[in-house]
Amino acid sequence: MIAAIVVLSVMAGVSGLLLGFAAVRFKVEGDPIVDKIDAILPQTQCGQCGYPGCRPYAEAIAAGEADINQCPPGGENGVTALADLLGRDPKPLNAEHGAVKPKMVAVIDEQNCIGCTLCIQACPVDAILGAAKHMHTVIASECTGCELCIAPCPVDCIDMIPVAQTITTWKWTYPAVTAKAAA
Amino acid sequence: MSRLYPFHGGLKTVRHKTESNQWPIQQAALPRWLTVPLRQHIGAIAKPLVQAGDRVLKGQMIGQADGYISAAVHAPTSGVVAAVETRPVPHPSGLPDLCVVIDSDGEECWIEHEPVDYRALHPSELRNVLRNAGIVGLGGAAFPSAVKLNLSGQCEHLDTLILNGAECEPWITCDDRLMRERATGIVAGLQVMTCLLEPREVLIGIEDDKPEAIAAMAEACAGTGYQVRPIPTRYPSGSVKQLVKLLTGKETPVEGLPVDVGVQCFNAATAYTVHRAIDHGEPVISRVVTVTGHVSQPGNFEALLGTSFADLVEQCGGYREGVERLIMGGPMMGFALHSDEVPLTKAANCILAASAAELTPAQPVMPCIRCGACVDVCPADLLPQQLYWHARAKEFDKAQDYHLFSCIECGCCSAVCPSHIPLVQYYRYAKNEIWAQEKEKQKAELARQRHQARLERLEREKQEREAKLRQKAPAKTIKAAEASEAGIKLDIEAAVAHAKPHPPSSISSRAEEGESITDYSARTPALPVAEGGNQEPEPLSSKQDA
């Protein structure tokens, strides 16, 4: 009887120590699922999902506050990838958050720019270069096409233009002939 | 005698070599306009060195290699640069690319030829000479040769150097004619490569349907120790990995290169350009191209790069009736062109005017019946059927599990498919999608980092401002007297709100009065600079002036 109690208490103590050690030694910093979700999101930081950036949205998905179909720039592929990751069923994009658009890039009409710096402050990825009372310009290769610079511009001199296809970005398309069509 | 190690699969294609290989290589006429694309190779586009109005000499460098994997581009003739702009180039997309347009003066004024003694040069200097001569693989892939001639870090010692004279595509004969007529030049180029790579043996693989070329090469190789190896005529024996297997029995690893197993392979025409560059000081400004198919008089032409395809067809007597498609490269691996007003490039080995007879008639696509014919012919030992299912379903991960990227797009599977499924198109599509996704991912990662950096900077600036306000607050005695803790907090909040961007509506109403805007921007605290960090914002005006 006493032996059993002693043995069990020792075992409990050892397990407790092991668990305690493991909790400290293998502590997980942050939620790894948030990082995984964040890695799938397109990082446009456009806020169309209703959250101020991709990471907050990833956190909301992880917490179960947001659905996986609120990211138009990620498109259907993004929703499918999120569904795969989270073991949920893929669903169509929620139209409330906007529609899928071709990739765009912001261009400042430099003739009309008054150098107010408002767009610079709005840009989530610091892709606009310029200084007060000097012309601004967009670094096209850094622009995510989030459109956040459009609204603050007091003179409406920013346009979104579709990214032109070049030889290096051109892709072979999905074969037009499908077995179904011919059958 | 040497042994051959047949590769799996492959096809016996119907040969159409005699249409164009019966006559010697002809010199194409000098055209008035030459459109020289700056991207004629795999890798970074060459940096233009000339601008409109510049006079250029024949062989003068007009585009400089930009980075390690890149190649120089030269003026094919003397004349005046008419423009440096985007023009249509031979590409499956039909999209334009940056070209240098030269208005030729007809004088063919050369730069000074500078032949070099390759034995006296350091290998890296020699590679630089070849790089500056714009030498790329002329078999069709156009990979910069100088990169392939540098073994450091890739392979300790090279066992075999292979010269690829297989020319397995059914219609192409440019290498055949080149080997017949200029075998000595090719061997001279091969000697330069041997000097750089120091291989144990040098093999020259030529398909046995080219007996004249085999004889000519064997004669030129006499006394050099290079071995000419006739190989059975079986498509795609000219594909690098298949040729390596055939001649040496070595399998190139998946996602590896022949150099990983101690073999390096160059096209016969590439060796010839090496000879021209080293022994004559001439950069790559022309190539031999087969113009064949449904044209009046098919043949091989030595044409200046930048000559339009239409000009070359004209010199063959023009199109015959019933041409349906113009193909660059062979019918198996080539692609249809959108127009014949595109320039000859280093990669263009063949222009094929195809009529309905040459094209496989478009037959309705039927469902896959899992017959496995594609597996039998696949020279890369893949499972084309599995690849097809996954590519069709856009399951790119699974397609990669079946080694999608080992596919050489030879077209054997599509050719034998009884259901006429355009298999290669599916593979090309899947490969392109995977590359595009990869690029997107990189871009997203960059955006994530920049956003993170911005958030950190904003936080830091906010704290600095708060610290400053806290320092100032006690100095203002009147306020300090009144200030409770809550009061200070309110102050700071107000200040922060003040510094933050105003809602668009209030600003746009102010925009009409220019002064308020100026006033605002004057107050704007430490402006964000694109690269993040605390540097002083640099006005752009100086750049504008420059």
Side-chain angles (χ1 to χ4, degrees):
Chain A
M1 171 71 180
I2 292 169
I5 291 173
V6 170
V7 166
L8 282 173
S9 338
V10 168
M11 277 170 70
V14 170
S15 312
L17 281 174
L18 272 176
L19 283 171
F21 172 74
V24 176
R25 177 73 180 74
F26 303 112
K27 189 165 190 274
V28 178
E29 298 282 352
D31 191 352
I33 195 72
V34 174
D35 283 332
K36 283 185 188 163
I37 297 172
D38 198 32
I40 290 173
L41 297 176
Q43 306 299 327
T44 36
Q45 317 293 353
C46 60
Q48 288 182 73
C49 52
Y51 294 87
C54 293
R55 191 156 184 102
Y57 177 44
E59 280 160 5
I61 294 178
E65 291 162 15
D67 210 339
I68 56 172
N69 61 350
Q70 303 183 3
C71 177
E76 298 288 345
N77 288 346
V79 179
T80 319
L82 285 174
D84 278 350
L85 174 71
L86 301 169
R88 295 191 206 164
D89 285 331
K91 46 174 91 173
L93 275 173
N94 189 342
E96 276 176 33
H97 297 275
V100 182
K101 281 188 226 166
K103 273 198 93 59
M104 308 277 245
V105 62
V107 173
I108 294 177
D109 177 1
E110 290 162 356
Q111 293 300 312
N112 291 330
C113 174
I114 53 169
C116 69
T117 77
L118 290 181
C119 57
I120 294 182
Q121 295 166 58
C123 180
V125 289
D126 284 340
I128 304 179
L129 192 69
K133 289 197 258 177
H134 289 287
M135 180 193 80
H136 303 346
T137 197
V138 176
I139 309 169
S141 62
E142 314 286 4
C143 175
T144 64
C146 67
E147 302 188 12
L148 292 181
C149 51
I150 303 284
C153 181
V155 289
D156 279 339
C157 73
I158 308 178
D159 287 314
M160 298 304 294
I161 58 160
V163 179
Q165 203 177 37
T166 63
I167 283 209
T168 43
T169 57
W170 176 84
K171 294 187 286 186
W172 287 96
T173 50
Y174 193 76
V177 212
T178 63
K180 227 180 196 172
Chain B
M1 189 54 193
S2 49
R3 215 190 120 186
L4 291 177
Y5 307 83
F7 55 88
H8 175 262
L11 278 183
K12 274 253 175 254
T13 52
V14 183
R15 302 264 117 177
H16 292 279
K17 302 281 196 184
T18 48
E19 276 90 336
S20 56
N21 72 358
Q22 301 299 305
W23 301 272
I25 299 168
Q26 305 164 55
Q27 288 295 326
L30 174 73
R32 167 80 198 272
W33 300 96
L34 286 158
T35 310
V36 190
L38 287 165
R39 192 199 311 271
Q40 299 190 36
H41 48 264
I42 287 182
I45 189 167
K47 256 192 284 189
L49 295 176
V50 290
Q51 50 194 13
D54 287 0
R55 210 188 126 65
V56 291
L57 294 176
K58 185 172 179 134
Q60 183 185 332
M61 195 190 283
I62 52 175
Q64 191 182 22
D66 188 12
Y68 186 54
I69 301 188
S70 184
V73 177
H74 302 79
T77 186
S78 58
V80 176
V81 175
V84 181
E85 60 184 22
T86 56
R87 289 284 179 98
V89 293
H91 190 267
S93 65
L95 288 168
D97 203 9
L98 196 61
C99 296
V100 175
V101 185
I102 296 172
D103 182 1
S104 62
D105 57 11
E107 287 167 22
E108 300 263 43
C109 237
W110 268 96
I111 47 160
E112 219 162 288
H113 294 283
E114 286 173 5
V116 292
D117 178 12
Y118 64 89
R119 287 179 194 88
L121 279 185
H122 187 270
S124 82
E125 283 172 322
L126 184 51
R127 277 194 295 272
N128 244 336
V129 172
L130 295 174
R131 206 167 107 92
N132 288 332
I135 290 174
V136 301
L138 296 188
F143 189 82
S145 299
V147 179
K148 274 168 79 182
L149 286 166
N150 185 3
L151 287 183
S152 60
Q154 295 192 68
C155 160
E156 286 261 305
H157 190 79
L158 198 73
D159 284 332
T160 315
L161 171 64
I162 293 177
L163 190 75
N164 186 348
E167 203 164 55
C168 57
E169 276 267 10
W171 286 87
I172 310 179
T173 60
C174 57
D175 291 352
D176 180 9
R177 282 311 317 189
L178 194 76
M179 287 188 288
R180 287 195 210 184
E181 295 174 32
R182 303 177 192 178
T184 9
I186 296 173
V187 174
L190 200 50
Q191 269 160 347
V192 179
M193 292 174 170
T194 318
C195 173
L196 273 170
L197 296 171
E198 297 172 342
R200 228 169 23 80
E201 56 173 357
V202 178
L203 306 178
I204 301 169
I206 306 173
E207 278 196 348
D208 56 14
D209 66 342
K210 296 185 258 299
E212 296 93 339
I214 294 173
M217 287 301 288
E219 199 191 321
C221 288
T224 56
Y226 304 159
Q227 304 166 44
V228 178
R229 296 272 176 92
I231 54 174
T233 303
R234 187 165 189 85
Y235 179 82
S237 62
S239 170
V240 177
K241 292 182 179 181
Q242 280 62 37
L243 188 65
V244 169
K245 171 83 200 305
L246 192 60
L247 289 176
T248 67
K250 290 177 179 169
E251 291 272 4
T252 308
V254 174
E255 286 166 28
L257 293 168
V259 70
D260 299 335
V261 290
V263 184
Q264 197 60 288
C265 188
F266 291 92
N267 183 265
T270 314
Y272 184 71
T273 55
V274 170
H275 156 68
R276 296 305 300 182
I278 298 297
D279 299 328
H280 298 270
E282 290 175 12
V284 187
I285 53 164
S286 66
R287 71 157 295 147
V288 179
V289 57
T290 306
V291 186
T292 187
H294 234 54
V295 292
S296 294
Q297 187 53 64
N300 284 290
F301 291 86
E302 179 161 32
L304 295 178
L305 301 175
T307 311
S308 87
F309 283 13
D311 266 4
L312 289 168
V313 170
E314 197 62 39
Q315 290 177 49
C316 290
Y319 298 107
R320 279 191 280 157
E321 285 276 303
V323 173
E324 291 202 346
R325 204 177 289 171
L326 195 62
I327 294 170
M328 176 172 135
M332 298 296 285
M333 291 178 84
F335 55 85
L337 292 165
H338 291 240
S339 140
D340 60 2
E341 283 301 331
V342 289
L344 185 73
T345 61
K346 291 174 187 174
N349 47 8
C350 177
I351 303 167
L352 171 63
S355 68
E358 282 93 45
L359 296 168
T360 38
Q363 296 189 44
V365 176
M366 313 272 268
C368 171
I369 55 169
R370 292 185 182 268
C371 63
C374 48
V375 183
D376 293 337
V377 296
C378 180
D381 277 313
L382 300 173
L383 297 174
Q385 203 186 77
Q386 291 312 111
L387 288 174
Y388 161 64
W389 292 119
H390 293 312
R392 205 182 89 152
K394 304 183 184 178
E395 294 166 341
F396 302 129
D397 289 355
K398 288 181 188 162
Q400 271 175 287
D401 290 345
Y402 283 95
H403 306 297
L404 174 67
F405 284 99
S406 290
C407 169
I408 56 169
E409 301 176 20
C410 65
C412 288
C413 51
S414 308
V416 298
C417 180
S419 294
H420 316 294
I421 301 170
L423 292 162
V424 176
Q425 286 186 33
Y426 281 99
Y427 309 148
R428 281 178 174 160
Y429 158 76
K431 285 181 184 178
N432 277 215
E433 281 302 312
I434 293 167
W435 283 326
Q437 282 178 8
E438 204 58 38
K439 266 190 210 160
E440 289 276 286
K441 253 206 181 128
Q442 284 170 7
K443 227 187 148 202
E445 181 53 32
L446 181 75
R448 203 182 60 77
Q449 285 170 7
R450 290 181 73 91
H451 182 61
Q452 196 65 34
R454 178 188 149 87
L455 290 181
E456 279 163 19
R457 194 196 68 233
L458 289 181
E459 184 60 29
R460 197 175 54 237
E461 278 171 9
K462 194 174 148 193
Q463 279 170 3
E464 277 166 13
R465 259 198 312 275
E466 280 176 13
K468 236 183 227 170
L469 279 170
R470 229 174 274 132
Q471 274 177 358
K472 274 183 190 167
K476 293 180 186 171
T477 42
I478 312 158
K479 263 193 183 173
E482 302 165 357
S484 65
E485 257 191 79
I488 290 176
K489 233 183 191 172
L490 271 177
D491 248 18
I492 293 168
E493 267 168 28
V496 171
H498 201 64
K500 273 189 186 163
H502 294 263
S505 56
S506 65
I507 282 300
S508 35
S509 60
R510 281 203 213 173
E512 282 131 41
E513 327 148 25
E515 268 176 52
S516 335
I517 288 291
T518 326
D519 183 24
Y520 172 79
S521 43
R523 269 193 273 125
T524 310
L527 276 170
V529 186
E531 287 305 318
N534 259 347
Q535 308 142 15
E536 274 295 308
E538 186 187 310
L540 276 179
S541 57
S542 54
K543 278 186 191 168
Q544 271 175 284
D545 297 340

